[in-house]
Structure formats: structure tokens, C-alpha cells
Amino acid sequence: MDHGRTDLAPADFALSRLAAALGKTEDSRRYARQAQNYRKLFDSQSGWMHGRNQDGSWVTPFNPLKWGDAFTEGNSLHYSWSVTQDVQGLIDLMGGPNAFVDKLDSIFTTPPLFGDSYYGQVIHEIREMQIVNMGQYAHGNQPIQHMIYLYDRAGAPWKAQYHVRDVMKRLYSPGPDGYPGDEDNGQTSAWYVFSALGFYPVTPAVGQYAIGSPLFQNVELSMPNGRVLMIKAQNNSPENVYIQSVTFNDQPDEKTWLSREVLQQGGHCAS
């Protein structure tokens, strides 16, 4: 019996889309169903993802701040957001947009307490979370790095903009301690590069890039097709991090994301 794994669900979603593109309808449906298995791990009583035993029963006692066990090098407050393939479904499970935003906020306001009984010691990922002192936000370990951009999907993009710029300012620097934790195949650098440009690919295989807050006033990107994408953030500064409006090729764009196809066409993206 499959009791669900949040880490496999986004991969199953991507496989479903690939199978559909190849005309393998049954495979696409099977992987799409599997991508919904994260729902089996959502504990409505606690409001967080909760590990299950092999027989399907909940792991008890449950401490959402406990690292390890059901959550590799993290805790429930980190992995509960690993539903990049169905953000709206997660919003609904957590009680709707307002409740969802409140839970996102709680990551930054909950003290960096932890349980380390599974490891029997304070592993470096735990220590890194404590040192950065951003509540339960553990940017030094990859599972939570996309979380900030989920504010966009819940109707609070200004909170994404604030926290993205705050993380870039506080956790990255050109000095010897300029990385906040694991690099892991370039993910921590990729987060910074995308965030500095002003957008981030939350959901793999969809081609949508959530809008954050560009770090630079002017950036030019050369696309593989030879076209140039110019990103302009007017009045940008360390203090002025909020986007008032977005235009693409002089046309207003009110979405909180940009499509890969549009970005690849090149042109002017202004905020």
C-alpha cells in the first residue's frame, strides 16, 4: 500500500506531463494520480505533513519540529511545502489563501527550536537554521527554498518580494561565509541567480516562473535562440523592494508569474 511521499509527487507530476506529450495516456494518468499521494500525508489535526508507518498508521508521538525520521535532514515545517506540483491543492488543504499565508508567516515567526533525537546530535543543517535566526526557515537546506514564492499563489506577492530580498541580503555575500549552507548540485546558487533576476521556477515541467523582486535595475539575458531579454526594475534599491506593476513589451501583465515561452521570445520586462 502506498501511503504517500511528498518528495516523489513532483517527480510523478513531471513524468505525467512527459507521458502525455509522448501520447502515453494511461501512463500519464497513473503518474498524475501518484502525484496526488501527498494528500495521504497531510494531517488535518496538526495542519502539517505527518509521517506514516508501513501499516498506514500515523507515526506517534508527532513533533513537527523533530528533524529526521520521516523528514530527511529537516522537519515537518520544512517539508510540508513540498507540493510544487499542486500548490492550489495544498492551499485548499491548509484552509484557503488566508490560512495558507498565516502558515507561511509562521515559518518566520516560530523560534528556531528543534528535536534532534533521531540523529542523536545537532547536525550542521540544524545549526545553520539557528545561526541565520529566521525562525524555522532553513534556507541552508534545499527542501524549503521555494517556500517564499508560494506567497504569490496565495495572493500575497508583496510578502514574497520582502522575504526574497531579505534572504539575498542576509544570507549571501562574497566573503568566506557567503553561503548559508549546502550547495548540493548548485541549487543554493541557482536560487540566488534566479531570485536576483526577479523570478523563480517553483513548479518543474510547467514553464511558469514566480515573480519575486529583482536585485538589479538592469539585466540583459541572451536566450538560446539569439534573442535578448531585458529586465528593468525602475527605482530599485535595497530599501525599495516592492513591485508596483509589471509590463512586458510595454503591455501590462497582472499575473504573479512569467511563462518560459514569453521569456524565451525576448523583449522588455519592466517593473
Side-chain angles (χ1 to χ4, degrees):
M1 181 180 295
D2 189 345
H3 304 301
R5 285 179 60 179
T6 58
D7 58 337
L8 293 181
D12 285 334
F13 173 78
L15 287 171
S16 173
R17 290 179 63 84
L18 175 61
L22 295 174
K24 298 182 179 295
T25 305
E26 289 304 315
D27 288 339
S28 177
R29 290 173 178 169
R30 175 165 63 90
Y31 284 114
R33 288 193 300 269
Q34 291 178 189
Q36 292 294 309
N37 280 344
Y38 75 90
R39 295 176 179 272
K40 301 175 183 179
L41 296 178
F42 184 76
D43 179 0
S44 59
Q45 184 172 353
S46 69
W48 300 105
M49 296 296 174
H50 186 166
R52 288 184 181 271
N53 295 307
Q54 190 171 4
D55 63 4
S57 61
W58 295 113
V59 173
T60 57
F62 176 58
N63 175 9
L65 303 183
K66 178 184 177 181
W67 285 59
D69 203 359
F71 305 100
T72 302
E73 296 178 353
N75 63 30
S76 180
L77 273 62
H78 306 150
Y79 278 86
S80 289
W81 311 105
S82 299
V83 188
T84 58
Q85 80 286 359
D86 186 17
V87 178
Q88 186 58 54
L90 183 63
I91 291 173
D92 295 341
L93 282 178
M94 289 185 169
N98 291 337
F100 188 78
V101 168
D102 287 344
K103 287 188 85 68
L104 288 169
D105 288 344
S106 75
I107 297 299
F108 296 101
T109 59
T110 301
L113 304 174
F114 60 89
D116 63 359
S117 60
Y118 178 80
Y119 294 107
Q121 62 179 330
V122 178
I123 60 176
H124 72 85
E125 289 87 354
I126 294 176
R127 187 67 71 213
E128 288 153 3
M129 180 187 74
Q130 288 185 304
I131 291 172
V132 301
N133 195 29
M134 299 179 74
Q136 287 289 321
Y137 184 71
H139 189 85
N141 205 22
Q142 286 70 32
I144 203 171
Q145 288 185 356
H146 70 284
M147 186 213 88
I148 290 173
Y149 287 95
L150 299 183
Y151 278 113
D152 281 0
R153 294 293 298 273
W158 59 92
K159 294 195 173 188
Q161 294 158 26
Y162 169 80
H163 286 295
V164 165
R165 290 290 285 270
D166 191 44
V167 169
M168 284 193 285
K169 178 178 66 177
R170 293 173 57 182
L171 304 189
Y172 291 83
S173 79
D177 60 347
Y179 271 75
D182 292 341
E183 173 61 323
D184 279 5
N185 297 314
Q187 164 58 25
T188 302
S189 292
W191 184 94
Y192 184 87
V193 171
F194 272 117
S195 296
L197 292 174
F199 47 80
Y200 188 80
V202 174
T203 306
V206 169
Q208 293 180 359
Y209 294 77
I211 295 175
S213 177
L215 185 61
F216 306 105
Q217 290 194 16
N218 293 282
V219 173
E220 290 191 10
L221 295 176
S222 297
M223 296 290 108
N225 56 15
R227 297 184 179 182
V228 175
L229 172 66
M230 290 178 285
I231 302 170
K232 298 184 178 182
Q234 300 176 10
N235 302 316
N236 189 4
S237 72
E239 295 75 31
N240 190 17
V241 304
Y242 298 106
I243 294 176
Q244 303 302 317
S245 63
V246 175
T247 62
F248 199 91
N249 289 336
D250 299 323
Q251 298 298 313
D253 191 335
E254 297 182 355
K255 302 187 303 299
T256 56
W257 53 271
L258 300 165
S259 74
R260 181 183 64 249
E261 290 78 13
V262 167
L263 293 175
Q264 287 178 334
Q265 290 174 7
H268 303 264
C269 183
S271 62

